[in-house]
Amino acid sequence: MGTNEVTSADITQQLEALDSGAVSVSELIEATLTRIEERADLGAFTRVLHERARAEAAERDKERAAGAELGPLHGIPIAVKDEIDVGGEVTSFGTRANRRPVAADAEVVRRLRAAGAVIVGKTAMPEFGQWPYTESSTFGVTRNPWNREFSTGGSSGGSAAAVAAGLVPAALGGDGGGSIRIPAACCGLFGLKPQRGRVPVAPNTHLWWALGVAGPLTRNVRDSALVYDAIRGDDPADRFRAPDPVMSFTAAAAREPGPLRIGYTVKPQAPLIKPHPEHARAVRETAQLLAGLGHTVFEVDPKFPESTPAFLPQFFGGVRAEAAAVDDPALLERRTRETVRLGAWARQPVIEWAIERGEALARTADDIFRDFDLLLTPTIAIRPPRLGVLDGAGTVRALRASMPMIAYTSFWNVTGQPAASIPAGLGTDGLPLSVQLIAPANGETTILPVAAQLERARPFPALA
């Protein structure tokens, strides 16, 4: 495998090439940086850390030459969504209103480095991650590598584009309403939203209070598990914490799941939304595939409780808090300033009520799983749209445009349960199809082996 092939390979393949001496870390990182520059028109990155990445790569090569104990991600290039701190760099949150570099890495970035990863850049997002479309007045649009006239979704669209285009094998994203799963669905990737509290968010104590979590987007299940095993585990600063899983995520992804009870539905949690026929078909075809793999699969009609009263206070409160912390509020997008005004009611007592309401909904959601082990749904209701969804849109119109994208995802941010976007082939438009698997609380190790089983039976689509 030559250097160019290694650059677009997955984590396991890159590790094998590094271990065999086929390529050095410095050679891999240099080729990665070149590839990123060649695909700059995608708009995947807000900042590429050329010199820092080269210096880190040289240190990794020295460690290998010295016979040091190597971490599980030694030498692997990884990108980071621009809402997660990388020490010495500006955390833009997708806005031009921030300009001061942060002092230190976020805990999740520190853990990546401790595992041997090389951070190569920060990836694009809409301002404060408000929307499931990666478009901003500061950084422009992020283009879907499958068809550059279409959206990557969002808000982790830069991370999704970088991974789907083979610029990096993994990139960190965040998910406060579907922002890992939605771009994964649009770009043909595996994207697991972990259980709330599974991954530390320090130096923050929370991300949009109970809604937000961090995690990777990858091209396969094993890579996701490898990264999660490097970054999971709570931190003393975390407001929300998850118990240790019953096994490592890597072990879970490698094991046979055994026969499970899997319910499926195309009914969205949001009212007045209908799934695109190809998405409904993808769910039913996946249900048939799972039945053929030995699972007991049946259609269900879950009685999803209304989650909007718990979601909106945390959404508006989260945006207001992030907007209040920027260096120059006058440089915020007009739409964001409107969001701040419209969310003036989302004060701390209301937010705390919303968190308590979400915890009650989580108990109700776990009751939904009494009759089955996993729930299968579409990930998004509509096909990935053309670019420009947010052009000229105010907050209200942007919220309306967001509803079909978050109709199947945001409920699980309110409740905190894990959920994953899994590729399901290609649509007639040539863009990826996806389905979503949801588990009861702390059920990532139930999702992962089934996702890997689906990947073996129906290999994830690869971008030529």
Side-chain angles (χ1 to χ4, degrees):
M1 186 181 292
T3 303
N4 289 336
E5 292 176 299
V6 174
T7 305
S8 58
D10 63 31
I11 291 177
T12 300
Q13 292 167 329
Q14 289 189 351
L15 288 172
E16 290 172 350
L18 290 165
D19 290 342
S20 70
V23 66
S24 69
V25 179
S26 292
E27 289 169 336
L28 173 58
I29 297 305
E30 194 62 45
T32 297
L33 295 171
T34 298
R35 191 174 177 87
I36 290 171
E37 291 304 313
E38 290 173 347
R39 306 291 179 89
D41 62 318
L42 286 174
F45 284 83
T46 59
R47 192 173 302 103
V48 182
L49 308 180
H50 297 91
E51 296 310 315
R52 293 188 63 180
R54 290 183 180 112
E56 285 185 45
E59 285 300 313
R60 297 290 181 260
D61 282 330
K62 289 179 183 178
E63 291 165 0
R64 184 180 292 275
E69 183 176 349
L70 305 181
L73 298 174
H74 184 88
I76 300 301
I78 291 182
V80 176
K81 185 180 181 182
D82 211 353
E83 65 183 1
I84 301 172
D85 288 351
V86 172
E89 306 297 332
V90 176
T91 303
S92 79
F93 289 94
T95 177
R96 65 170 64 88
N98 278 330
R99 56 177 177 270
R100 288 180 295 179
V102 299
D105 288 340
E107 175 61 16
V108 68
V109 174
R110 187 198 68 78
R111 293 183 185 188
L112 284 174
R113 293 195 203 274
V118 176
I119 308 303
V120 296
K122 307 293 293 291
T123 57
M125 58 184 290
E127 196 162 81
F128 301 127
Q130 295 171 76
W131 316 113
Y133 306 102
T134 305
E135 305 174 5
S136 76
S137 62
T138 301
F139 297 106
V141 299
T142 300
R143 298 178 180 276
N144 193 319
W146 290 87
N147 186 326
R148 298 186 182 205
E149 299 305 312
F150 286 79
S151 175
T152 58
S155 63
S156 306
S159 290
V163 176
L167 309 185
V168 289
L172 287 186
D175 193 316
S179 291
I180 289 173
R181 290 160 289 160
I182 292 166
C186 292
C187 295
L189 302 175
F190 179 72
L192 169 65
K193 180 194 84 68
Q195 174 70 30
R196 178 186 300 141
R198 178 70 65 210
V199 174
V201 297
N204 305 302
T205 58
H206 58 80
L207 296 177
W208 283 9
W209 281 273
L211 296 180
V213 295
L217 292 99
T218 61
R219 292 194 291 277
N220 59 55
V221 177
R222 176 179 169 79
D223 281 3
S224 178
L226 283 168
V227 176
Y228 269 117
D229 279 340
I231 64 175
R232 63 180 173 82
D234 57 38
D235 181 87
D238 293 337
R239 174 170 178 174
F240 303 103
R241 303 185 186 187
D244 290 338
V246 296
M247 66 183 75
S248 75
F249 283 17
T250 306
R255 73 179 180 89
E256 287 297 326
L260 297 174
R261 301 166 304 157
I262 301 176
Y264 73 91
T265 182
V266 298
K267 173 185 175 183
Q269 289 84 17
L272 305 178
I273 300 293
K274 293 184 178 181
H276 189 280
E278 289 195 84
H279 294 179
R281 175 176 57 80
V283 167
R284 294 190 173 97
E285 289 180 352
T286 303
Q288 292 173 355
L289 178 57
L290 288 166
L293 292 169
H295 302 288
T296 300
V297 184
F298 46 92
E299 189 167 11
V300 296
D301 183 17
K303 306 302 180 184
F304 295 113
E306 176 57 58
S307 61
T308 302
F311 180 85
L312 284 180
Q314 297 178 79
F315 165 78
F316 279 110
V319 174
R320 285 173 57 82
E322 290 172 352
V326 301
D327 298 324
D328 191 347
L331 295 180
L332 292 172
E333 292 180 352
R334 174 187 57 80
R335 182 170 46 242
T336 297
R337 296 197 298 272
E338 182 181 5
T339 301
V340 170
R341 291 194 302 272
L342 290 174
W345 55 273
R347 305 291 180 177
Q348 198 62 39
V350 179
I351 292 169
E352 294 298 333
W353 173 87
I355 293 170
E356 291 179 6
R357 177 60 182 157
E359 291 172 347
L361 291 175
R363 293 189 289 272
T364 301
D366 268 339
D367 287 341
I368 291 173
F369 288 93
R370 284 180 299 181
D371 297 325
F372 45 87
D373 304 301
L374 291 172
L375 178 64
L376 172 69
T377 76
T379 306
I380 56 178
I382 59 173
R383 301 300 294 135
R386 288 187 175 273
L387 296 168
V389 176
L390 299 181
D391 286 355
T395 297
V396 173
R397 199 178 106 196
L399 283 169
R400 287 175 179 163
S402 299
M403 287 306 298
M405 295 291 262
I406 69 170
Y408 292 95
T409 56
S410 64
F411 181 84
W412 307 106
N413 292 87
V414 172
T415 66
Q417 273 96 341
S421 176
I422 301 171
L426 299 178
T428 55
D429 55 9
L431 296 169
L433 292 167
S434 172
V435 295
Q436 181 178 218
L437 273 180
I438 306 121
N442 304 301
E444 295 102 321
T445 54
T446 304
I447 291 174
L448 286 165
V450 176
Q453 189 180 44
L454 284 171
E455 182 180 22
R456 291 190 298 272
R458 183 178 58 195
F460 293 175
L463 187 62

